[in-house]
Amino acid sequence: MNTNVWVPLEKLQDMDPIWAGTTVRLYGVGLHVTDKSEDYYDYLVSYIYDNNEYLQLTNLSPGKAGNIICVIQMDQPHYYARAGNLKERIGIENTYVRMP
């Protein structure tokens, strides 16, 4: 998969792996911007210290950085989650991913 492009989350198969380091972009978050293409937050999928069961999605956007939108369960014994878990937690509408 090309890692420099944003892929709609709905295009991923439910069993596709979501690794730590994946960036998730959620459009239509209600920012007061004149250009609607700038109306998004970026989230980083990352490990949680001392937790081998979940990954977290941490906001990277200015003014919201560090806020966690959700956690997704890892597929044990692997160190990644499945796209289906991400779809359930964050939804597929206006959601895109960029793999590491």
Side-chain angles (χ1 to χ4, degrees):
M1 177 177 281
N2 186 341
T3 61
N4 290 324
V5 297
W6 291 99
V7 177
L9 181 57
E10 65 187 343
K11 298 269 183 177
L12 297 181
Q13 300 298 315
D14 286 350
M15 295 304 289
D16 286 345
I18 301 293
W19 294 94
T22 298
T23 308
V24 177
R25 180 167 283 179
L26 184 59
Y27 282 97
V29 294
L31 296 177
H32 299 293
V33 293
T34 56
D35 182 2
K36 287 299 179 186
S37 68
E38 297 294 320
D39 184 21
Y40 64 85
Y41 287 144
D42 284 337
Y43 295 89
L44 178 67
V45 177
S46 61
Y47 294 110
I48 302 170
Y49 177 75
D50 203 28
N51 185 319
N52 294 326
E53 294 184 32
Y54 294 91
L55 296 170
Q56 66 187 12
L57 275 74
T58 306
N59 198 313
L60 300 174
S61 302
K64 299 291 183 181
N67 291 340
I68 298 169
I69 191 170
C70 67
V71 296
I72 52 177
Q73 189 164 10
M74 281 196 268
D75 186 50
Q76 298 297 330
H78 310 289
Y79 289 96
Y80 56 78
R82 297 287 184 176
N85 291 345
L86 181 59
K87 290 175 183 180
E88 287 178 15
R89 297 293 293 157
I90 201 165
I92 59 171
E93 188 173 331
N94 300 319
T95 307
Y96 294 77
V97 296
R98 186 171 62 193
M99 303 296 181

XYZ file of all heavy atoms in Angstrom:
814
model
N 0.845 -1.181 0.000
C 0.000 0.000 0.000
C 0.888 1.241 0.000
O 1.861 1.310 0.725
C -0.901 -0.014 1.231
C -1.767 1.222 1.365
S -2.888 1.170 2.780
C -4.151 0.115 2.114
N 0.535 2.239 -0.827
C 1.272 3.494 -0.872
C 1.030 4.244 0.423
O -0.099 4.522 0.798
C 0.814 4.316 -2.077
C 1.628 5.570 -2.270
O 2.304 6.044 -1.367
N 1.558 6.103 -3.467
N 2.097 4.603 1.120
C 1.952 5.220 2.431
C 1.842 6.737 2.380
O 1.707 7.362 3.420
C 3.138 4.829 3.333
O 4.338 5.312 2.726
C 3.201 3.343 3.534
N 1.906 7.327 1.202
C 1.832 8.783 1.100
C 0.452 9.281 0.705
O 0.299 10.455 0.412
C 2.876 9.298 0.102
C 4.274 9.135 0.646
O 4.495 9.285 1.834
N 5.203 8.804 -0.220
N -0.526 8.421 0.661
C -1.873 8.824 0.266
C -2.861 8.510 1.381
O -2.677 7.585 2.164
C -2.320 8.116 -1.044
C -1.429 8.509 -2.206
C -2.343 6.621 -0.891
N -3.915 9.317 1.424
C -4.993 9.084 2.363
C -5.991 8.124 1.723
O -6.473 8.376 0.631
C -5.682 10.395 2.729
C -4.812 11.280 3.556
C -4.076 12.339 3.107
C -4.570 11.178 4.950
N -3.390 12.904 4.150
C -3.678 12.216 5.295
C -5.019 10.324 5.948
C -3.228 12.414 6.600
C -4.574 10.514 7.233
C -3.696 11.553 7.558
N -6.288 7.048 2.412
C -7.211 6.027 1.926
C -8.487 6.104 2.759
O -8.416 6.117 3.993
C -6.582 4.615 2.059
C -7.553 3.541 1.625
C -5.276 4.538 1.301
N -9.653 6.153 2.112
C -10.899 6.126 2.897
C -10.958 4.868 3.755
O -10.682 3.760 3.274
C -12.001 6.114 1.833
C -11.362 6.652 0.594
C -9.919 6.234 0.665
N -11.292 5.024 5.013
C -11.359 3.886 5.929
C -12.324 2.829 5.414
O -12.074 1.631 5.559
C -11.765 4.352 7.330
C -11.852 3.292 8.416
C -10.525 2.537 8.568
C -12.276 3.901 9.731
N -13.395 3.245 4.756
C -14.382 2.294 4.254
C -13.803 1.378 3.184
O -14.343 0.300 2.931
C -15.615 3.017 3.730
C -15.354 3.891 2.525
C -16.560 4.724 2.132
O -17.681 4.414 2.568
O -16.362 5.699 1.393
N -12.685 1.751 2.549
C -12.051 0.926 1.515
C -11.224 -0.218 2.102
O -10.894 -1.174 1.411
C -11.140 1.774 0.625
C -11.851 2.850 -0.130
C -12.285 2.370 -1.450
C -12.934 3.545 -2.189
N -13.336 3.216 -3.484
N -10.876 -0.131 3.384
C -10.106 -1.196 4.017
C -11.013 -2.366 4.369
O -12.177 -2.180 4.734
C -9.419 -0.692 5.288
C -8.376 0.412 5.126
C -7.795 0.765 6.483
C -7.286 0.002 4.164
N -10.473 -3.555 4.261
C -11.189 -4.752 4.689
C -11.153 -4.819 6.217
O -10.178 -4.391 6.844
C -10.534 -6.008 4.100
C -10.518 -6.032 2.586
C -11.919 -6.041 2.010
O -12.783 -6.782 2.464
N -12.148 -5.204 1.009
N -12.183 -5.367 6.827
C -12.260 -5.425 8.287
C -11.073 -6.146 8.916
O -10.689 -5.832 10.038
C -13.560 -6.090 8.734
C -14.769 -5.190 8.551
O -14.594 -3.989 8.262
O -15.896 -5.700 8.688
N -10.471 -7.082 8.212
C -9.349 -7.853 8.771
C -7.984 -7.207 8.503
O -6.972 -7.704 8.973
C -9.370 -9.283 8.219
C -10.589 -10.080 8.656
S -10.807 -10.165 10.460
C -9.467 -11.251 10.894
N -7.941 -6.092 7.777
C -6.666 -5.411 7.516
C -6.068 -4.913 8.824
O -6.788 -4.414 9.694
C -6.859 -4.221 6.566
C -7.107 -4.646 5.132
O -6.855 -5.828 4.797
O -7.553 -3.791 4.336
N -4.738 -5.027 8.968
C -4.101 -4.566 10.202
C -3.989 -3.043 10.259
O -3.745 -2.389 9.254
C -2.713 -5.209 10.152
C -2.446 -5.437 8.706
C -3.780 -5.675 8.066
N -4.186 -2.509 11.449
C -3.955 -1.098 11.743
C -2.809 -1.070 12.751
O -2.966 -1.460 13.898
C -5.212 -0.408 12.333
C -6.383 -0.496 11.369
C -4.903 1.037 12.712
C -6.222 0.284 10.082
N -1.655 -0.626 12.292
C -0.445 -0.624 13.116
C -0.286 0.692 13.870
O -0.789 1.727 13.446
C 0.783 -0.813 12.230
C 0.860 -2.141 11.575
C 0.420 -2.477 10.329
C 1.423 -3.329 12.125
N 0.669 -3.805 10.072
C 1.295 -4.353 11.159
C 2.022 -3.633 13.340
C 1.746 -5.645 11.377
C 2.470 -4.929 13.548
C 2.323 -5.914 12.582
N 0.442 0.644 14.977
C 0.856 1.883 15.630
C 1.662 2.677 14.604
O 2.419 2.107 13.830
C 1.705 1.571 16.858
N 1.466 3.971 14.576
C 2.121 4.823 13.599
C 1.203 5.218 12.456
O 1.521 6.119 11.682
N 0.053 4.560 12.343
C -0.934 4.927 11.334
C -1.538 6.273 11.725
O -1.783 6.536 12.900
C -2.043 3.859 11.254
O -1.465 2.620 10.850
C -3.144 4.256 10.290
N -1.772 7.125 10.732
C -2.437 8.405 10.965
C -3.869 8.301 10.470
O -4.119 7.781 9.392
C -1.713 9.543 10.223
O -0.323 9.508 10.545
C -2.281 10.893 10.607
N -4.801 8.785 11.276
C -6.222 8.789 10.934
C -6.653 10.248 10.812
O -6.377 11.060 11.694
C -7.060 8.073 12.014
C -8.539 8.150 11.690
C -6.610 6.624 12.171
N -7.301 10.588 9.703
C -7.806 11.949 9.487
C -9.322 11.918 9.492
O -9.945 11.178 8.747
C -7.287 12.521 8.177
C -7.781 13.934 7.909
C -7.028 14.586 6.792
N -5.728 15.008 7.287
C -4.814 15.604 6.535
N -5.043 15.823 5.248
N -3.652 15.958 7.055
N -9.905 12.730 10.349
C -11.357 12.824 10.481
C -11.792 14.207 10.007
O -11.449 15.219 10.625
C -11.758 12.593 11.936
C -13.233 12.568 12.276
C -13.962 11.486 11.491
C -13.423 12.340 13.763
N -12.505 14.257 8.871
C -12.984 15.516 8.292
C -14.322 15.915 8.891
O -15.050 15.090 9.427
C -13.152 15.370 6.775
C -11.855 15.437 6.015
C -11.199 14.277 5.640
C -11.289 16.656 5.669
C -10.006 14.324 4.937
C -10.096 16.720 4.966
C -9.461 15.556 4.597
O -8.280 15.604 3.910
N -14.642 17.201 8.767
C -15.944 17.714 9.210
C -16.062 17.800 10.710
O -17.105 17.468 11.263
N -15.014 18.268 11.378
C -15.009 18.307 12.837
C -15.553 19.613 13.401
O -15.610 19.800 14.608
C -13.595 18.026 13.395
C -13.175 16.610 13.071
C -12.587 19.038 12.882
N -15.956 20.531 12.505
C -16.595 21.756 12.959
C -15.649 22.906 13.248
O -16.016 23.823 13.980
N -14.452 22.873 12.687
C -13.539 23.995 12.862
C -14.083 25.206 12.110
O -14.710 25.067 11.065
C -12.145 23.645 12.323
C -11.413 22.517 13.037
C -10.087 22.237 12.344
C -11.166 22.865 14.488
N -13.835 26.363 12.632
C -14.288 27.598 11.988
C -13.220 28.060 11.010
O -12.423 28.938 11.308
C -14.590 28.669 13.032
C -15.679 28.269 13.971
N -16.984 28.099 13.571
C -15.659 27.959 15.285
C -17.726 27.739 14.600
N -16.943 27.636 15.656
N -13.198 27.421 9.843
C -12.233 27.761 8.797
C -13.003 28.107 7.531
O -14.113 27.611 7.309
C -11.250 26.598 8.532
C -10.346 26.363 9.724
C -11.982 25.314 8.188
N -12.405 28.956 6.714
C -13.072 29.338 5.470
C -12.960 28.252 4.419
O -13.841 28.096 3.582
C -12.475 30.645 4.925
O -11.068 30.480 4.774
C -12.761 31.801 5.868
N -11.894 27.478 4.451
C -11.683 26.402 3.486
C -12.067 25.079 4.142
O -11.379 24.601 5.045
C -10.220 26.384 3.045
C -9.926 25.330 2.004
O -10.853 24.622 1.570
O -8.746 25.209 1.605
N -13.176 24.479 3.708
C -13.670 23.240 4.333
C -12.691 22.077 4.195
O -12.778 21.112 4.946
C -15.039 22.850 3.762
C -16.150 23.745 4.258
C -16.259 23.654 5.763
C -17.332 24.533 6.311
N -17.359 24.560 7.761
N -11.757 22.157 3.237
C -10.758 21.090 3.126
C -9.772 21.129 4.299
O -8.999 20.208 4.486
C -10.002 21.195 1.799
O -9.190 22.351 1.777
N -9.817 22.202 5.085
C -8.964 22.323 6.274
C -9.730 21.982 7.556
O -9.205 22.166 8.652
C -8.404 23.741 6.376
C -7.501 24.121 5.213
C -6.228 23.297 5.171
O -5.639 23.030 6.236
O -5.834 22.898 4.064
N -10.953 21.494 7.419
C -11.807 21.175 8.554
C -11.603 19.714 8.960
O -12.433 18.852 8.676
C -13.276 21.442 8.189
C -14.232 21.229 9.351
O -13.779 21.259 10.507
O -15.433 21.019 9.090
N -10.469 19.423 9.605
C -10.159 18.059 9.999
C -9.241 18.041 11.213
O -8.593 19.030 11.535
C -9.502 17.285 8.854
C -8.159 17.827 8.434
C -6.988 17.451 9.106
C -8.041 18.699 7.363
C -5.757 17.949 8.725
C -6.816 19.195 6.973
C -5.670 18.821 7.656
O -4.453 19.324 7.288
N -9.223 16.886 11.861
C -8.245 16.584 12.905
C -7.468 15.354 12.463
O -8.030 14.435 11.862
C -8.921 16.265 14.245
C -9.526 17.452 14.959
C -10.697 17.306 15.678
C -8.918 18.702 14.942
C -11.263 18.368 16.356
C -9.475 19.772 15.618
C -10.640 19.602 16.320
O -11.201 20.656 16.993
N -6.193 15.334 12.796
C -5.352 14.163 12.573
C -5.112 13.469 13.901
O -4.891 14.128 14.922
C -4.003 14.559 11.964
C -4.100 14.907 10.497
O -5.048 14.450 9.834
O -3.218 15.629 10.004
N -5.153 12.147 13.857
C -4.922 11.327 15.048
C -3.828 10.313 14.753
O -3.763 9.765 13.657
C -6.197 10.570 15.443
C -7.314 11.476 15.869
C -8.212 11.981 14.939
C -7.454 11.844 17.196
C -9.237 12.833 15.328
C -8.478 12.692 17.586
C -9.358 13.185 16.651
O -10.360 14.027 17.039
N -2.998 10.041 15.734
C -1.949 9.036 15.623
C -2.364 7.804 16.395
O -2.758 7.891 17.569
C -0.628 9.572 16.184
C 0.543 8.603 16.170
C 0.955 8.299 14.727
C 1.708 9.170 16.948
N -2.294 6.653 15.745
C -2.530 5.381 16.432
C -1.235 5.041 17.154
O -0.170 4.964 16.534
C -2.909 4.262 15.436
C -3.074 2.944 16.164
C -4.171 4.624 14.673
N -1.317 4.872 18.474
C -0.095 4.634 19.246
C -0.354 3.635 20.375
O -1.493 3.376 20.757
C 0.439 5.946 19.825
O -0.505 6.533 20.693
N 0.757 3.107 20.877
C 0.684 2.195 22.010
C 0.343 2.955 23.275
O 0.612 4.150 23.388
C 2.015 1.465 22.208
C 2.356 0.526 21.082
C 3.400 0.823 20.211
C 1.652 -0.650 20.876
C 3.719 -0.035 19.163
C 1.962 -1.506 19.838
C 3.003 -1.192 18.988
O 3.313 -2.036 17.955
N -0.226 2.246 24.232
C -0.502 2.786 25.550
C 0.522 2.173 26.496
O 0.690 0.947 26.521
C -1.930 2.423 26.012
C -2.956 2.953 25.019
C -2.185 2.954 27.420
C -4.368 2.443 25.274
N 1.198 2.999 27.254
C 2.230 2.512 28.171
C 1.670 1.424 29.089
O 0.611 1.576 29.690
C 2.783 3.668 29.017
C 3.786 3.221 30.036
C 5.077 2.876 29.661
C 3.431 3.102 31.377
C 5.996 2.443 30.597
C 4.346 2.676 32.318
C 5.628 2.344 31.923
O 6.537 1.917 32.855
N 2.386 0.314 29.148
C 2.072 -0.800 30.043
C 0.690 -1.413 29.780
O 0.030 -1.892 30.698
C 2.196 -0.361 31.508
C 2.432 -1.552 32.441
O 3.010 -2.561 31.991
O 2.034 -1.467 33.620
N 0.251 -1.370 28.513
C -1.035 -1.950 28.148
C -0.853 -2.694 26.830
O -0.576 -2.076 25.808
C -2.101 -0.863 28.006
C -3.478 -1.431 27.742
O -3.647 -2.368 26.975
N -4.476 -0.831 28.372
N -1.004 -3.989 26.851
C -0.821 -4.811 25.655
C -2.139 -5.221 25.006
O -2.150 -6.088 24.148
C -0.019 -6.064 25.997
C 1.389 -5.736 26.395
O 1.981 -4.790 25.875
N 1.934 -6.498 27.328
N -3.238 -4.595 25.420
C -4.545 -4.973 24.894
C -5.142 -3.940 23.949
O -5.978 -4.286 23.117
C -5.515 -5.223 26.048
C -5.129 -6.427 26.883
C -6.159 -6.722 27.960
O -7.361 -6.454 27.721
O -5.768 -7.198 29.026
N -4.734 -2.674 24.072
C -5.363 -1.610 23.293
C -4.330 -0.678 22.668
O -3.221 -0.517 23.183
C -6.293 -0.767 24.179
C -7.482 -1.531 24.681
C -7.448 -2.208 25.894
C -8.649 -1.594 23.928
C -8.542 -2.928 26.353
C -9.754 -2.304 24.379
C -9.690 -2.964 25.587
O -10.772 -3.680 26.022
N -4.738 -0.038 21.564
C -4.021 1.080 20.971
C -4.900 2.307 21.159
O -6.118 2.194 21.269
C -3.784 0.849 19.473
C -2.894 -0.326 19.094
C -2.964 -0.572 17.583
C -1.459 -0.065 19.514
N -4.308 3.489 21.210
C -5.095 4.709 21.367
C -4.939 5.612 20.155
O -3.936 5.536 19.448
C -4.700 5.458 22.632
C -3.286 6.008 22.615
C -2.893 6.600 23.960
O -3.568 6.414 24.972
N -1.793 7.324 23.975
N -5.931 6.448 19.916
C -5.883 7.449 18.856
C -5.745 8.809 19.515
O -6.678 9.288 20.167
C -7.143 7.412 17.990
C -7.112 6.386 16.854
C -7.284 4.986 17.386
C -8.146 6.706 15.826
N -4.566 9.405 19.349
C -4.228 10.666 19.995
C -4.227 11.792 18.977
O -3.600 11.675 17.915
C -2.842 10.563 20.660
O -2.823 9.433 21.527
C -2.521 11.813 21.453
N -4.896 12.890 19.299
C -5.000 14.031 18.399
C -3.627 14.685 18.226
O -2.887 14.876 19.179
C -6.001 15.048 18.951
C -6.478 16.020 17.917
O -5.697 16.583 17.166
N -7.777 16.235 17.880
N -3.310 15.043 16.980
C -2.065 15.721 16.644
C -2.286 17.174 16.228
O -1.326 17.899 15.982
C -1.375 14.994 15.476
C -0.994 13.544 15.694
C -0.470 12.944 14.394
C 0.039 13.427 16.795
N -3.534 17.602 16.136
C -3.869 18.906 15.575
C -3.636 20.034 16.585
O -3.858 19.859 17.781
C -5.324 18.917 15.115
O -5.518 17.893 14.153
N -3.207 21.200 16.093
C -2.974 22.351 16.983
C -4.212 22.680 17.812
O -5.336 22.673 17.313
C -2.660 23.489 16.011
C -2.154 22.819 14.781
C -2.911 21.522 14.696
N -4.001 22.938 19.075
C -5.093 23.270 19.982
C -5.801 22.071 20.572
O -6.531 22.200 21.542
N -5.622 20.906 19.986
C -6.266 19.684 20.481
C -5.256 18.563 20.720
O -5.633 17.462 21.123
C -7.319 19.189 19.481
C -8.441 20.159 19.233
C -9.318 20.289 20.449
C -10.495 21.212 20.176
N -11.354 21.374 21.329
N -3.994 18.833 20.445
C -2.957 17.800 20.529
C -2.945 17.145 21.903
O -3.042 17.805 22.932
C -1.591 18.396 20.219
N -2.857 15.836 21.895
C -2.810 15.060 23.126
C -4.148 14.482 23.541
O -4.187 13.535 24.327
N -5.237 15.050 23.044
C -6.559 14.510 23.386
C -6.737 13.148 22.722
O -6.379 12.952 21.573
C -7.671 15.449 22.922
C -7.710 16.733 23.711
O -7.193 16.817 24.813
N -8.328 17.748 23.142
N -7.319 12.227 23.450
C -7.541 10.872 22.945
C -9.011 10.733 22.570
O -9.895 11.004 23.379
C -7.142 9.826 23.999
C -5.648 9.956 24.292
C -7.502 8.418 23.535
C -5.180 9.176 25.487
N -9.259 10.333 21.320
C -10.637 10.192 20.850
C -11.209 8.812 21.196
O -12.385 8.678 21.486
C -10.766 10.471 19.337
C -12.230 10.582 18.932
C -10.020 9.447 18.520
C -12.459 11.093 17.539
N -10.362 7.769 21.169
C -10.840 6.427 21.497
C -9.655 5.479 21.617
O -8.517 5.840 21.327
C -11.813 5.912 20.437
S -11.067 5.597 18.825
N -9.946 4.284 22.062
C -8.977 3.186 22.063
C -9.562 2.065 21.222
O -10.783 1.938 21.106
C -8.628 2.689 23.486
C -7.943 3.770 24.283
C -9.859 2.179 24.208
N -8.678 1.284 20.602
C -9.128 0.128 19.817
C -8.377 -1.103 20.297
O -7.195 -1.043 20.610
C -8.926 0.352 18.297
C -7.506 0.778 17.968
C -9.935 1.352 17.773
C -7.235 0.939 16.478
N -9.094 -2.198 20.382
C -8.514 -3.433 20.903
C -7.549 -4.042 19.894
O -7.828 -4.093 18.697
C -9.608 -4.436 21.236
C -9.082 -5.633 21.978
C -10.195 -6.420 22.645
O -11.364 -6.177 22.408
N -9.819 -7.353 23.483
N -6.398 -4.479 20.406
C -5.419 -5.160 19.558
C -5.858 -6.586 19.291
O -6.578 -7.193 20.082
C -4.037 -5.165 20.217
C -3.311 -3.860 20.080
S -1.559 -4.013 20.449
C -1.550 -3.633 22.187
N -5.422 -7.098 18.170
C -5.691 -8.468 17.775
C -4.589 -9.341 18.385
O -3.471 -9.366 17.889
C -5.688 -8.570 16.243
C -6.097 -9.931 15.757
O -7.133 -10.433 16.218
O -5.372 -10.487 14.905
N -4.881 -10.004 19.480
C -3.879 -10.812 20.186
C -3.584 -12.099 19.438
O -4.502 -12.668 18.855
C -4.368 -11.123 21.606
C -4.572 -9.895 22.452
C -3.298 -9.113 22.696
O -2.213 -9.674 22.730
N -3.430 -7.819 22.852
N -2.384 -12.574 19.358
C -1.182 -12.116 20.048
C -0.384 -11.090 19.245
O 0.772 -10.847 19.533
C -0.371 -13.404 20.199
C -0.664 -14.147 18.936
C -2.120 -13.829 18.634
N -0.999 -10.464 18.254
C -0.302 -9.506 17.408
C -0.247 -8.137 18.076
O -0.923 -7.889 19.062
C -1.001 -9.404 16.051
C -1.245 -10.731 15.415
N -0.236 -11.507 14.891
C -2.381 -11.441 15.242
C -0.740 -12.632 14.419
N -2.049 -12.618 14.625
N 0.551 -7.260 17.512
C 0.678 -5.907 18.047
C 0.019 -4.891 17.134
O 0.520 -3.799 16.937
C 2.159 -5.571 18.279
C 2.721 -6.338 19.433
C 3.417 -7.514 19.233
C 2.521 -5.895 20.741
C 3.915 -8.234 20.302
C 3.010 -6.607 21.806
C 3.709 -7.778 21.589
O 4.195 -8.485 22.643
N -1.103 -5.264 16.567
C -1.886 -4.352 15.732
C -3.360 -4.608 15.996
O -3.748 -5.617 16.562
C -1.561 -4.527 14.244
C -1.745 -5.928 13.700
C -3.002 -6.426 13.392
C -0.648 -6.752 13.480
C -3.163 -7.710 12.887
C -0.799 -8.033 12.974
C -2.064 -8.505 12.679
O -2.220 -9.769 12.182
N -4.171 -3.634 15.565
C -5.626 -3.782 15.638
C -6.131 -4.106 14.240
O -5.379 -4.060 13.271
C -6.253 -2.491 16.162
N -7.370 -4.400 14.126
C -7.990 -4.676 12.828
C -8.801 -3.456 12.393
O -9.351 -2.724 13.225
C -8.913 -5.895 12.912
C -8.202 -7.182 13.266
C -7.386 -7.669 12.115
N -6.792 -8.974 12.450
C -6.090 -9.661 11.598
N -5.867 -9.204 10.388
N -5.567 -10.815 11.951
N -8.870 -3.253 11.085
C -9.619 -2.121 10.540
C -11.076 -2.152 10.990
O -11.679 -1.100 11.222
C -9.518 -2.102 9.022
N -11.638 -3.330 11.145
C -13.017 -3.448 11.616
C -13.207 -2.831 12.996
O -14.231 -2.199 13.265
N -12.217 -3.004 13.878
C -12.287 -2.403 15.212
C -12.268 -0.883 15.122
O -12.999 -0.196 15.842
C -11.129 -2.866 16.089
C -11.225 -4.325 16.456
O -12.265 -4.946 16.312
N -10.126 -4.884 16.917
N -11.417 -0.364 14.241
C -11.337 1.084 14.060
C -12.645 1.633 13.488
O -13.151 2.659 13.943
C -10.161 1.442 13.148
C -9.940 2.925 12.885
C -9.705 3.688 14.179
C -8.776 3.114 11.925
N -13.205 0.930 12.522
C -14.472 1.357 11.923
C -15.577 1.435 12.972
O -16.378 2.377 12.986
C -14.895 0.396 10.814
C -14.039 0.466 9.578
C -14.465 -0.612 8.592
C -13.593 -0.639 7.361
N -14.026 -1.692 6.411
N -15.637 0.457 13.864
C -16.657 0.439 14.909
C -16.511 1.611 15.872
O -17.499 2.178 16.318
C -16.579 -0.865 15.711
C -17.091 -2.070 14.987
C -16.933 -3.343 15.812
O -16.692 -3.247 17.037
O -17.041 -4.425 15.220
N -15.276 1.954 16.200
C -15.028 2.976 17.218
C -15.133 4.405 16.696
O -15.611 5.283 17.396
C -13.650 2.773 17.849
C -13.497 1.455 18.586
C -14.356 1.361 19.802
N -13.871 2.320 20.777
C -14.591 2.828 21.747
N -15.830 2.470 21.902
N -14.084 3.688 22.577
N -14.675 4.646 15.467
C -14.600 6.020 14.971
C -15.567 6.289 13.828
O -15.851 7.434 13.506
C -13.147 6.376 14.588
C -12.948 7.880 14.581
C -12.739 5.750 13.290
C -11.504 8.315 14.564
N -16.093 5.249 13.215
C -17.005 5.408 12.082
C -16.249 5.537 10.775
O -15.037 5.788 10.754
N -16.962 5.363 9.670
C -16.283 5.402 8.366
C -16.564 6.677 7.594
O -15.848 6.994 6.643
C -16.667 4.180 7.499
C -18.162 4.119 7.251
C -16.154 2.894 8.121
C -18.573 3.069 6.240
N -17.579 7.430 8.000
C -17.924 8.632 7.269
C -16.868 9.712 7.498
O -16.524 10.029 8.654
C -19.286 9.156 7.723
C -19.793 10.294 6.879
C -21.215 10.687 7.236
O -21.966 9.818 7.689
O -21.536 11.847 7.054
N -16.327 10.247 6.411
C -15.322 11.312 6.450
C -14.035 10.899 7.169
O -13.343 11.747 7.744
C -15.885 12.580 7.100
C -17.065 13.126 6.353
O -17.076 13.152 5.126
N -18.076 13.554 7.078
N -13.711 9.612 7.175
C -12.536 9.110 7.874
C -11.569 8.488 6.872
O -11.951 7.653 6.066
C -12.940 8.063 8.932
O -13.937 8.620 9.777
C -11.746 7.650 9.763
N -10.299 8.898 6.983
C -9.254 8.432 6.084
C -8.062 7.982 6.917
O -7.865 8.448 8.028
C -8.822 9.561 5.138
C -9.916 9.978 4.183
C -10.969 10.780 4.611
C -9.919 9.541 2.870
C -11.984 11.141 3.754
C -10.935 9.893 2.002
C -11.964 10.697 2.450
O -12.966 11.041 1.589
N -7.275 7.061 6.347
C -6.076 6.580 7.031
C -4.871 6.698 6.113
O -4.981 6.629 4.896
C -6.233 5.111 7.519
C -7.311 4.979 8.554
C -6.494 4.180 6.368
N -3.712 6.882 6.751
C -2.437 6.846 6.046
C -1.537 5.924 6.851
O -1.256 6.163 8.011
C -1.835 8.252 5.932
C -0.576 8.286 5.078
C -0.132 9.676 4.802
N 0.184 10.331 6.069
C 0.375 11.642 6.183
N 0.261 12.427 5.148
N 0.680 12.169 7.353
N -1.116 4.851 6.192
C -0.313 3.824 6.862
C 1.127 4.276 7.026
O 1.624 5.067 6.224
C -0.349 2.524 6.067
C -1.737 1.976 5.836
S -2.517 1.515 7.383
C -4.065 0.892 6.814
N 1.814 3.758 8.048
C 3.231 4.130 8.256
C 4.132 3.545 7.177
O 3.799 2.619 6.517
C 3.558 3.541 9.624
C 2.538 2.492 9.876
C 1.341 2.840 9.061
